[in-house]
Amino acid sequence: MTTSPESRLRQLGILAVLVLLTETAPLELSLVYPAAHSLTESFGGSGADAVTGAVSLAAVVCIPLLGRIADVVGKKRVLLWSGAVFAVGSLLCATAGSLPLLLLGRVLQGAVGGALAVAYAVVRDTFPRHRVPVALGIVSSGIGISGITAPFLGGALVDHYGYHGVFWFLFALSAFVLPLAALALPADRPSTGVPTAPRRRLDAVGALLLGLSAAVLIWSIGSAVRTGWPNPGVLVSLPVALLLAVGFWRRERGRSDPAVDLALLTAPAVRTTLLTAVLTTAGTSTVAYLLPQLLQTPRHAGLGFAFGLTALAAAGWTFTLGLGSLAGGPVGGLLARRRGPRSAALAAQVLVVAGALGFAALPGQRGVVLLLSLVFGVGTGLAYVALANLITDAVPDERAATGTALVAVANQLGAATGASVLASVRTLYPVGSGESLFAGTGYRLAFVLAAGATLLALLTTLPMRHGRTPATGGAATTHRNDLSVTPFMENGLTKESLT
């Protein structure tokens, strides 16, 4: 089937708007990182940590809820409303003169956390099925754009305007993108289920229970690393996270209108994709979090590495990471369409393992660091689009946003584990600990653990039954019998299809 030039132009416009919309989610983190010093001067170290982490916790709570709302009331509507709330939060942050108001603004910014998941579902609804894998890769490339621009842009904004400058920029970006999105994005279409089927209700309580359990777990992990495991906050929060998860499970079991169908959540194709996402993201986030810190650490003779760089200079050493991620998105989409998303995931994991082990050797030459960053960045970009295609081919149309939201939550859990738990190993043998034989090898151990987590992801991906054939953009989900989550009945999942 041919596509008219007008149709192709409209699809390109939709992709451009989706890239800009989804760019706000990584930028609300990566642009704020260079402002950490400015925030610390204004609110202290604990206040700066709270400002940085509040948006992730809010995003984790919002992601399941937004995914389910998008499946029920429409994806365009959710993208526009979440973008508007993000704009309000950015404006509040830009004008806030106190920590409570700044934290409130960051919580509101977290509303855009599910934008990428909903954007993936928009692609599935809008594009011809054979173009969905590559389109998903292009949307994912926005993460690479932020990886290239954020360190330089954030540094310049903070140098000239303090932390307020970062939030004014995010407000201006959202004010620019929202009208374009309202014009370019296609109108929400009716559900693809049976026309006479009753309208699905929204189980907001169930979605909030899932999001809150994930958020409390992420907070617990970070708190445990910062203050040590045997502290009252962690001892209380971990059981709370478990109770919330049990509450979610009990509420959703047997409901006719669940926030997340437990049969979908526990289906092998979905379950293995989520586990792969957690492990892969744990590996990538560990390296991405530690590498700039290592480059800015004062020089130590025992390491043979060029330390003591400024934040801007460190960005000049690692900008190829974002460049590789930018290229990895479209390349991963092509690979998924031709060889299957499982092949794209395996290629991503091999590259991430190679990059992490390369950094574990603590190379001292700038050219080597640039090359390793490029390899690692390509692997990161491939991973995002591979996971998006894996989940897209594993869930039916009426669960599209819910499925991608689950992957987004898994990515957040992996990022929290990587940046908090695996990265904390660097403190065992810190740089500058005298002339000890092990001085600075904590970084080596952390990078090796990152490679190990990604290797476990690879071992999880290898036996996957789904994703072995070229990605279909979800076209085959309703009739392929080899997937453990199919065939789907028009009115929902059946127990027989999941066994």
Side-chain angles (χ1 to χ4, degrees):
M1 180 179 65
T2 60
T3 306
S4 66
E6 293 81 6
S7 179
R8 291 178 181 175
L9 185 62
R10 178 169 174 76
Q11 290 172 4
L12 288 175
I14 292 171
L15 278 179
V17 169
L18 288 176
V19 168
L20 288 173
L21 267 175
T22 56
E23 189 74 2
T24 55
L27 281 177
E28 67 183 356
L29 289 173
S30 55
L31 271 183
V32 175
Y33 288 156
H37 181 68
S38 177
L39 289 167
T40 300
E41 289 181 339
S42 299
F43 305 111
S46 59
D49 288 344
V51 171
T52 304
V55 71
S56 295
L57 294 180
V60 171
V61 175
C62 289
I63 286 171
L65 185 59
L66 289 179
R68 185 62 182 133
I69 292 175
D71 281 335
V72 174
V73 306
K75 301 171 183 66
K76 179 178 181 178
R77 190 177 304 175
V78 166
L79 283 175
L80 292 178
W81 276 106
S82 63
V85 174
F86 173 83
V88 172
S90 299
L91 182 61
L92 183 57
C93 289
T95 58
S98 65
L99 182 59
L101 284 178
L102 185 57
L103 289 174
L104 176 59
R106 290 292 278 169
V107 169
L108 293 177
Q109 281 189 317
V112 83
L116 186 60
V118 179
Y120 286 155
V122 171
V123 168
R124 177 172 176 165
D125 284 350
T126 306
F127 287 77
R129 295 296 189 177
H130 67 282
R131 291 185 178 171
V132 168
V134 177
L136 290 176
I138 294 174
V139 173
S140 299
S141 66
I143 299 171
I145 296 174
S146 68
I148 298 173
T149 60
F152 299 101
L153 178 60
L157 289 170
V158 172
D159 287 344
H160 287 86
Y161 309 106
Y163 71 86
H164 293 285
V166 169
F167 297 115
W168 277 118
F169 175 83
L170 291 173
F171 172 72
L173 176 63
S174 57
F176 170 74
V177 173
L178 281 175
L180 295 178
L183 292 172
L185 294 182
D188 293 314
R189 67 182 188 180
S191 174
T192 56
V194 180
T196 58
R199 182 177 179 85
R200 296 179 185 275
R201 292 183 295 172
L202 173 65
D203 179 21
V205 174
L208 284 174
L209 284 172
L210 176 60
L212 286 171
S213 65
V216 173
L217 178 60
I218 290 173
W219 182 87
S220 301
I221 293 172
S223 177
V225 171
R226 289 190 300 269
T227 62
W229 285 99
N231 74 76
V234 175
L235 295 177
V236 171
S237 59
L238 284 177
V240 169
L242 178 60
L243 287 174
L244 288 168
V246 171
F248 162 76
W249 189 273
R250 290 178 63 87
R251 179 176 177 82
E252 302 302 289
R253 187 176 55 186
R255 286 183 68 89
S256 60
D257 57 340
V260 178
D261 196 314
L262 294 181
L264 174 68
L265 186 61
T266 58
V270 176
R271 186 177 65 229
T272 54
T273 299
L274 297 180
L275 178 58
T276 297
V278 171
L279 292 171
T280 302
T281 310
T284 57
S285 63
T286 302
V287 175
Y289 180 66
L290 287 184
L291 186 58
Q293 296 183 48
L294 180 59
L295 290 170
Q296 294 176 60
T297 301
R299 183 185 298 273
H300 187 269
L303 290 177
F305 196 90
F307 294 108
L309 301 177
T310 65
L312 192 59
W317 279 58
T318 60
F319 76 95
T320 52
L321 195 155
L323 191 65
S325 182
L326 178 63
V331 170
L334 287 171
L335 183 59
R337 190 174 72 178
R338 295 180 180 179
R339 300 293 300 274
R342 173 179 169 273
S343 296
L346 290 172
Q349 290 152 359
V350 168
L351 291 175
V352 170
V353 169
L357 291 178
F359 288 127
L362 296 179
Q365 299 299 317
R366 178 175 181 176
V368 178
V369 175
L370 287 171
L371 178 60
L372 288 173
S373 296
L374 181 65
V375 170
F376 182 82
V378 172
T380 301
L382 283 172
Y384 276 107
V385 70
L387 293 169
N389 275 288
L390 281 171
I391 200 67
T392 296
D393 276 0
V395 299
D397 284 341
E398 63 271 18
R399 304 291 207 287
T402 302
T404 50
L406 289 174
V407 168
V409 172
N411 286 337
Q412 291 284 350
L413 289 173
T417 301
S420 296
V421 178
L422 299 185
S424 68
V425 175
R426 75 189 186 283
T427 61
L428 295 177
Y429 304 105
V431 177
S433 55
E435 294 299 323
S436 167
L437 177 65
F438 299 104
T441 57
Y443 276 100
R444 283 193 175 98
L445 291 176
F447 289 137
V448 169
L449 287 177
T454 313
L455 183 60
L456 288 177
L458 188 149
L459 295 177
T460 303
T461 306
L462 275 173
M464 277 185 179
R465 292 177 57 194
H466 74 296
R468 293 174 178 261
T469 55
T472 64
T477 308
T478 57
H479 63 266
R480 278 177 52 188
N481 291 325
D482 61 317
L483 294 182
S484 297
V485 295
T486 56
F488 291 98
M489 301 297 292
E490 291 182 323
N491 61 347
L493 295 167
T494 64
K495 293 182 179 179
E496 291 77 12
S497 68
L498 301 167
T499 57

